[in-house]
Amino acid sequence: MRIEHHQPFRLTAVFLIGLTVLITAKQIAAEINAPTPQNETDPLVTFNNAFRGEYSRAKTEALSRVGPVIIVEGTHMVLVRDGRRTEAEIQPPIYQALKAVAHIPFAVFLMFDQSGFGQLTDERIVALRDYRKLIVGAESSLDDRGFSVSQLQRQRKIIDDSLAFLDAAIENRRVEKTALDDFARQMAPVLMQNVDDAARAELDAVHSHVTEWRHQMTPEEWKALHVVVMGAHMPRDEEITMQYFERLLDEPMEGHRIIFAEGLWEEPRALELLGTHLVDGSAGVAFFGEFMRMHRDLLSDAAKVYLQNTLLPSEPKKQGE
């Protein structure tokens, strides 16, 4: 379901850019006004502070000219186009149900994995029985989740096997690490079936909304489209929506039209990161003939040579090694 927001109280693209400028301006002002350990009239310090201000201005200019932007924000994504925000859910109820059931054996594993595998105390047994009640309650709601027949059978197996392991732990008042590892390995194949179904559900939802938005854009707007994916550190590598947009836009990697905003959970900060990518990409092309050159440490090539050849050279191998 698509929801369009045109009310004044909702953030528009113009307001987001303005807020980004305000935040950055405050940061620059604080840096300029803060005392430094060096002479406050040091001309290099003065110049570097001025550079920061110019860098901020350049990012603002870049954002003011940017075309449509799709921002992926967890369970939904947003199209920012012509000063309007259009939101769409990308993780349908079936996705959430598949994920929640898959978390049950994972939760059982976590109950014991870091416990030391000693005798379970009375207090711990009470807590495990409380967890069991939660699992049984979740099982009672499976019929109303929209599962297919095969999916429903799978969810019941996941829950029944998890309850069986938990019941054995409660009865024996302990869990051996070998038994816990065996449980995890046995559950993995059936959990991955849930993962497969969930991935398809999310990708189908993303593709449906993006296709609709594409039909609303001119060819020029589509070519100018940028995508910012907000996410946490751990799922960054091959994150599902990053894979989708890289394939859709024929982008071989992150950094040009597609950006991963790690740990940035606010749209203004994500847009500021987009501005940084645009400015650094333009400078990378102009100075080095490579859009992505400034997306990695500018010192990286020099560091590699110095470390390998001078500071930490490899020791020559002895004969026969």
Side-chain angles (χ1 to χ4, degrees), residues 77-151:
M77 63 183 179
V78 179
L79 170 65
V80 181
R81 174 175 174 258
D82 294 334
R84 296 188 305 172
R85 296 174 77 259
T86 304
E87 293 188 11
E89 292 294 326
I90 60 173
Q91 293 180 354
I94 190 68
Y95 171 97
Q96 300 294 348
L98 289 163
K99 179 177 71 171
V101 174
H103 281 168
I104 290 174
F106 188 40
V108 171
F109 176 82
L110 294 176
M111 290 174 193
F112 305 103
D113 183 50
Q114 302 297 323
S115 65
F117 301 99
Q119 191 79 7
L120 298 175
T121 64
D122 291 341
E123 181 181 11
R124 188 59 180 151
I125 293 293
V126 170
L128 294 178
R129 286 175 174 153
D130 288 340
Y131 276 118
R132 190 187 192 285
K133 293 177 183 178
L134 295 177
I135 297 173
V136 171
E139 185 176 26
S140 68
S141 72
L142 292 181
D143 290 333
D144 303 323
R145 301 295 178 180
F147 292 120
S148 67
V149 174
S150 61
Q151 286 177 332

Side-chain angles (χ1 to χ4, degrees), residues 269-302:
R269 297 180 67 192
L271 285 174
E272 182 181 4
L273 179 62
L274 172 58
T276 300
H277 274 249
L278 293 172
V279 170
D280 285 6
S282 179
V285 170
F287 281 89
F288 310 110
E290 181 186 347
F291 184 90
M292 297 296 295
R293 180 58 188 88
M294 295 184 68
H295 289 63
R296 57 190 174 92
D297 193 343
L298 194 59
L299 309 180
S300 60
D301 293 345

